[in-house]
């Protein structure tokens, strides 16, 4: 049986991924601060930007019990934030800490707990990365750095010999999905030019119809995640 953990499943790309995997017969456990109206999935309410709250949830039995009968276990680390946006002088340190906890701490902790919770299953970890992990953008120092951390994590998992960790395969990829028409993109377009000088580029993408819908992107991402060659490239771009 295929089972998937999807973070940030209540809206945007995460909601579309959860729905797409469920439509393909994959049992889904969604993790987010709130709940999704999607019927037929398991859900856990946890603030993944709060390390203590996430640690308490991981110490429980939910993850292990959900994955107990999985032959193939999937983890999609989708939850993340682009804020704070702006130069260092404009960044709220508390907001920086929250972004690092959600964008880096949570997916790395989940990856370790996930692998340990399903030792007999083939395990696939997909970090939703970004082109910002591979190209520095003014105003996005925190977002670029946190997404780059996911790329390096996937590379290191491969170097660790994760292909046979724990007696079953562990595969990982940090995948940039392209530019998607989500609330995050709307927030980017609403950012003052002084904080994000490249704002007009993203406005032009929206006006030019160059943004994928979450549903279209989720279909491509699910195809990638479930393909036989998943994990052969630890860092990849869905547009390739």
């Amino acid at each position: 049986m295929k089972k998937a953990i999807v973070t940030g499943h209540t809206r945007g790309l995460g909601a579309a991924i959860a729905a797409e995997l469920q439509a393909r017969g994959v049992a889904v456990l969604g993790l987010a601060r709130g709940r999704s109206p999607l019927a037929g999935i398991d859900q856990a309410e946890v603030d993944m930007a709060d390390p203590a709250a996430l640690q308490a949830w991981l110490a429980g039995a939910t993850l292990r019990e959900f994955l107990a009968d999985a032959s193939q276990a999937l983890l999609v680390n989708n939850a993340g934030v682009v804020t704070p946006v702006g130069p260092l002088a404009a960044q709220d340190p508390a907001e920086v800490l929250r972004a690092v906890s959600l964008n880096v701490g949570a997916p790395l902790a989940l990856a370790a707990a996930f692998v340990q919770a399903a030792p007999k299953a083939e395990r696939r970890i997909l970090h939703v990365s970004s082109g910002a992990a591979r190209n520095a953008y003014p105003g996005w120092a925190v977002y670029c750095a946190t997404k780059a951390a996911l790329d390096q994590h996937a590379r290191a998992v491969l170097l660790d010999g994760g292909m046979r960790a724990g007696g079953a395969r562990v595969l990982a990829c940090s995948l940039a999905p392209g530019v998607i028409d989500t609330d995050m993109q709307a927030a980017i377009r609403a950012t003052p030019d002084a904080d994000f000088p490249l704002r007009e580029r993203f406005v032009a993408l929206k006006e030019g119809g160059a943004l994928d819908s979450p549903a279209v992107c989720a279909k491509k991402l699910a195809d990638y995640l479930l393909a036989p060659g998943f994990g052969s490239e630890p860092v990849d771009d869905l547009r390739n």
Side-chain angles (χ1 to χ4, degrees):
M1 173 180 281
K2 290 182 172 67
K3 292 198 166 185
I5 317 297
V6 180
T7 68
H9 71 291
T10 57
R11 61 180 182 168
L13 180 58
I17 293 169
E20 180 64 27
L21 290 174
Q22 184 191 44
R24 299 188 188 208
V26 180
V28 174
L29 169 61
L31 272 61
R33 284 183 297 173
R35 296 187 69 81
S36 165
L38 183 63
I41 67 169
D42 292 315
Q43 302 188 60
E45 294 182 59
V46 57
D47 184 356
M48 288 172 291
D50 180 343
L54 179 58
Q55 183 177 357
W57 185 81
L58 291 174
T62 304
L63 184 63
R64 185 175 62 255
E65 290 175 353
F66 177 75
L67 295 174
D69 59 349
S71 57
Q72 185 182 69
L74 314 169
L75 171 63
V76 182
N77 279 315
N78 162 76
V81 291
V82 70
T83 52
V85 177
L88 288 175
Q91 293 175 14
D92 179 349
E95 217 178 348
V96 174
L97 286 171
R98 185 169 179 82
V100 173
S101 295
L102 180 59
N103 292 5
V104 183
L108 269 57
L110 275 167
F114 165 80
V115 166
Q116 294 163 26
K120 297 180 181 179
E122 181 197 74
R123 292 149 292 179
R124 298 186 175 197
I125 300 164
L126 190 150
H127 298 316
V128 177
S129 185
S130 168
R134 299 141 208 186
N135 300 281
Y137 295 128
W140 275 10
V142 174
Y143 188 64
C144 291
T146 55
K147 288 300 184 180
L150 298 183
D151 286 6
Q152 287 293 78
H153 181 261
R155 290 186 178 107
V157 167
L158 181 61
L159 293 176
D160 282 339
M163 295 288 286
R164 297 297 300 175
R169 290 201 302 172
V170 176
L171 305 170
C173 178
S174 189
L175 183 69
V179 188
I180 310 154
D181 199 2
T182 61
D183 291 346
M184 182 181 288
Q185 280 295 312
I188 290 168
R189 295 191 298 273
T191 304
D193 290 334
D195 289 337
F196 187 50
L198 299 181
R199 184 186 71 89
E200 283 300 325
R201 178 189 298 181
F202 290 83
V203 172
L205 288 172
K206 173 67 172 178
E207 293 177 348
L211 304 184
D212 269 349
S213 71
V216 167
C217 182
K219 289 181 185 298
K220 297 176 185 176
L221 188 146
D223 286 342
Y224 189 100
L225 175 61
L226 297 171
F230 178 86
S232 59
E233 294 290 339
V235 174
D236 207 350
D237 192 306
L238 197 55
R239 294 164 290 191
N240 290 341

